[in-house]
Amino acid sequence: MKFIGQFIQHFISRFKNDVFFENPVNLSSTLTVDGVTTFNNTTSGRPSVNIENTGNNTSGGTFKFILDKGAIGADNDIPGIIEWAGDNDAQQQSAVGQLFVSVADATDGQEAGAMHFKVAAYDGVLETGLKLDGDTNADGEVDVAIGSGAGSTTTIASGVVMMGSLPTSDPGVSGQLWNNSGVVTVSE
């Protein structure tokens, strides 16, 4: 019996820090992980993480970051970050892209968020190239900032209609666009 007990203790201690699965594992409950989780594979295009809903539903799964500080929230809190990194030509890991959302306004009843899309600029520093900002002090509005720095360029592959540059009354010219209370309208 002593041998069996020692074997079981040895077996348990081997898996105290690392757990390996040789076959698919199905969890029918909640899995809580405290610490860092790494998915590692040497095959091209792997590892792959799928969040799949196979029911006859109208909504898929959710990947949700939650920041619950146990204290009041504040402007500029960041609930989560997704970051991409790769090797440079010196084989050093370098961040090349990042996506995160911050609390733009934590005021109760006026909560607003800002989404930041960042990429590594010339010197490897992550710069915000696109920012969606809901802190506009008006319901239903979101401001958009494109580019970073005065030298940035924005390329649009086709024509653009600016609402502010359109006439605000029907010009009476067939085919002419005009701003009809925020709706682009074609004159007849």
Side-chain angles (χ1 to χ4, degrees):
M1 281 308 256
K2 183 176 178 183
F3 172 76
I4 293 173
Q6 288 173 333
F7 177 76
I8 292 172
Q9 178 62 33
H10 173 73
F11 184 75
I12 291 171
S13 66
R14 281 183 53 210
F15 292 102
K16 188 187 292 185
N17 294 320
D18 295 320
V19 177
F20 301 94
F21 299 107
E22 293 179 2
N23 295 308
V25 175
N26 294 314
L27 300 173
S28 60
S29 187
T30 302
L31 173 65
T32 302
V33 178
D34 184 12
V36 175
T37 302
T38 301
F39 299 93
N40 186 334
N41 195 298
T42 59
T43 304
S44 179
R46 299 280 188 222
S48 175
V49 176
N50 300 318
I51 300 173
E52 183 176 298
N53 180 323
T54 59
N56 184 12
N57 302 298
T58 59
S59 297
T62 300
F63 190 80
K64 187 175 185 176
F65 292 97
I66 300 172
L67 174 62
D68 185 354
K69 302 189 305 187
I72 61 170
D75 293 358
N76 301 314
D77 283 351
I78 299 174
I81 297 173
I82 299 173
E83 186 170 283
W84 293 264
D87 288 335
N88 64 14
D89 63 6
Q91 200 173 357
Q92 302 162 328
Q93 286 288 297
S94 178
V96 294
Q98 191 178 81
L99 168 63
F100 71 89
V101 176
S102 64
V103 176
D105 189 345
T107 305
D108 187 27
Q110 299 175 18
E111 296 86 349
M115 181 175 280
H116 306 257
F117 294 83
K118 294 184 163 216
V119 293
Y122 179 75
D123 56 0
V125 174
L126 293 174
E127 301 285 349
T128 300
L130 176 63
K131 179 182 177 184
L132 308 175
D133 190 355
D135 190 16
T136 62
N137 295 324
D139 189 28
E141 290 182 1
V142 175
D143 291 338
V144 179
I146 300 175
S148 176
S152 293
T153 59
T154 302
T155 304
I156 300 174
S158 62
V160 175
V161 175
M162 305 296 281
M163 291 295 285
S165 64
L166 295 175
T168 56
S169 61
D170 188 344
V173 178
S174 181
Q176 172 72 42
L177 301 177
W178 62 285
N179 180 351
N180 184 4
S181 300
V183 177
V184 176
T185 306
V186 179
S187 186
E188 306 236 358

